[in-house]
């Protein structure tokens, strides 16, 4: 994940000046284009920057953001030393990032949202060590002595997806092993899913425990398969229940399990946009609908 990149040394730690001369912060660059479309970035020279500073390039006419608000954003990151793009959610196959206003964000993103309105484009400049930590961001090929330009388009307010509660006929069947635990899902007679299908949920057995919210921490057993696969891509029934926060899983789990009581057994059908999108994951092809049976052991 972009916002949780590991921090290990990478690139030229010396940084320094390059051809074309140095310039302070946004004097080193010209940014044009409409909010919601990939920005056009023209470098005039090597960017110099220190502490994190944010500047509003385009002020939107939407609501002002408050702590706890979720906003759909597009993010463009450039290396101010090499004068090159390092990352963009506008690239082919990229997806917008949903950010939550508050202290949990890295400072370079928190400053981009602070006091802003929907529809704005914000530029944030900083040295790489201030932006990402003492060794920069190796995943983006940004060394610790480089500088960073981050452009954040605050596209729209985030509207949480709501699961569609369906009957058993719209879900795969569960095949049980000799110990009574699920061992795979059966797709016979179930139509092939469409990429734009709803997030679907079927509560096989309702529990009597605490009702889950999107920020619950749960302990659960699960089994996941893609349509018509021969075996699960992952499961825990043969091992032991797994504990995790619903803020640390794919959105299909976060919003598909919210409102369900602990002790329940649930079937989920998660469309690609709420799963792994166009990114392949080991035994999961790109663009896959994910099917899960989940036993919620406990929640807090």
């Amino acid at each position: 994940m972009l916002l949780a990149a590991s921090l290990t040394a990478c690139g030229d730690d010396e940084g320094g000046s390059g051809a074309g001369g140095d310039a302070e912060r946004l004097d080193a660059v010209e940014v044009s284009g409409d909010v919601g479309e990939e920005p056009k970035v023209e470098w005039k020279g090597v960017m110099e920057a220190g502490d994190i500073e944010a500047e509003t390039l385009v002020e939107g006419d939407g609501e002002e953001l408050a702590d706890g608000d979720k906003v759909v954003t597009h993010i463009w990151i450039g290396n101010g030393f090499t004068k090159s793009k390092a990352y963009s959610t506008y690239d082919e196959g990229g997806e917008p990032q949903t950010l939550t206003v508050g202290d949990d964000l890295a400072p370079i993103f928190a400053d981009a949202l602070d006091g802003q309105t929907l529809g704005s484009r914000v530029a944030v400049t900083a040295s790489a060590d201030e932006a990402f930590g003492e060794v920069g961001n190796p995943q983006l090929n940004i060394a610790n002595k480089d500088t960073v330009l981050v452009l954040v388009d605050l596209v729209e307010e985030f509207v949480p997806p709501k699961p569609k509660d369906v009957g058993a006929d719209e879900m795969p069947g569960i095949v049980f092993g000799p110990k009574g635990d699920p061992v795979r899902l059966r797709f016979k007679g179930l139509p092939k899913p469409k990429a734009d299908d709803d997030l679907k949920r079927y509560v096989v057995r309702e529990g009597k425990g605490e009702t889950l919210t999107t920020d619950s921490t749960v302990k659960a057993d699960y089994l996941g398969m893609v349509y018509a696969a021969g075996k699960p891509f992952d499961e825990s029934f043969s091992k032991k229940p797994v504990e995790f926060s619903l803020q640390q899983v794919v959105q299909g789990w976060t919003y598909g399990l919210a409102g369900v009581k602990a002790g329940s057994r649930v079937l989920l059908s998660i469309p690609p946009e709420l799963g792994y999108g166009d990114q392949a994951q080991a035994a999961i092809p790109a663009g896959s609908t994910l099917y899960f049976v989940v036993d919620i052991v406990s929640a807090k």
Side-chain angles (χ1 to χ4, degrees), residues 97-286:
Q97 299 271 337
T98 300
L99 304 181
T100 302
V101 181
D103 296 336
D104 290 340
L105 284 177
I108 197 165
F109 297 106
D111 286 9
L113 303 185
D114 185 32
Q116 298 294 336
T117 56
L118 290 172
S120 296
R121 170 171 285 170
V122 184
V124 189
T125 53
S127 61
D129 54 356
E130 289 289 334
F132 299 116
E134 63 181 11
V135 292
N137 191 318
Q139 288 189 346
L140 303 182
N141 292 318
I142 298 175
N144 66 333
K145 297 302 181 182
D146 292 342
T147 50
V148 180
L149 169 66
V150 178
L151 302 173
V152 183
D153 285 357
L154 310 179
V155 181
E156 60 188 13
E157 183 180 4
F158 175 73
V159 179
K162 292 184 178 180
K164 179 181 179 182
D165 287 301
V166 300
D169 60 327
E170 294 190 42
M171 288 291 193
I174 304 172
V175 178
F176 298 94
K179 296 183 179 180
D181 291 328
V183 293
R184 64 182 178 87
L185 299 176
R186 182 179 65 250
F187 295 93
K188 184 177 181 180
L190 191 69
K192 185 176 181 180
K194 299 177 181 178
D196 59 353
D197 277 348
D198 294 319
L199 169 63
K200 297 178 183 179
R201 175 176 68 192
Y202 171 57
V203 179
V204 180
R205 180 184 66 235
E206 186 173 16
K208 298 180 180 180
E210 180 176 338
T211 300
L212 275 61
T213 65
T214 56
D215 57 358
S216 290
T217 295
V218 304
K219 182 179 288 186
D221 269 318
Y222 65 91
L223 179 148
M225 292 183 68
V226 296
Y227 183 79
K231 61 181 181 180
F233 56 76
D234 194 13
E235 61 86 25
S236 69
F237 286 100
S238 65
K239 306 161 193 174
K240 60 182 181 179
V242 179
E243 187 172 83
F244 52 87
S245 166
L246 288 184
Q247 291 295 310
Q248 298 174 329
V249 290
V250 295
Q251 291 187 51
W253 274 57
T254 304
Y255 298 103
L257 295 180
V260 176
K261 294 181 179 181
S264 298
R265 169 169 287 170
V266 184
L267 279 165
L268 295 175
S269 172
I270 300 174
E273 69 172 355
L274 299 178
Y276 294 113
D278 292 330
Q279 302 297 316
Q281 303 284 327
I284 304 174

Side-chain angles (χ1 to χ4, degrees), residues 22-110:
D22 295 357
E24 286 288 329
R25 299 191 183 271
L26 294 182
D27 289 338
V29 70
E30 182 175 325
V31 180
S32 59
D34 295 330
V35 175
E37 298 178 0
E38 177 149 24
K40 183 179 180 181
V41 179
E42 297 182 8
W43 297 93
K44 301 176 183 178
V46 173
M47 176 181 287
E48 291 187 347
D51 293 340
I52 297 171
E53 290 186 9
E55 182 174 331
T56 304
L57 300 184
V58 178
E59 185 174 355
D61 57 6
E63 294 290 329
E64 182 174 338
L65 299 175
D67 277 359
D69 285 350
K70 292 180 181 289
V71 58
V72 178
T73 68
H74 272 291
I75 299 171
W76 188 99
I77 300 177
N79 186 321
F81 172 60
T82 62
K83 299 181 290 184
S84 61
K85 180 174 73 174
Y87 173 87
S88 175
T89 57
Y90 286 109
D91 288 343
E92 183 178 358
E95 296 286 341
Q97 299 271 337
T98 300
L99 304 181
T100 302
V101 181
D103 296 336
D104 290 340
L105 284 177
I108 197 165
F109 297 106

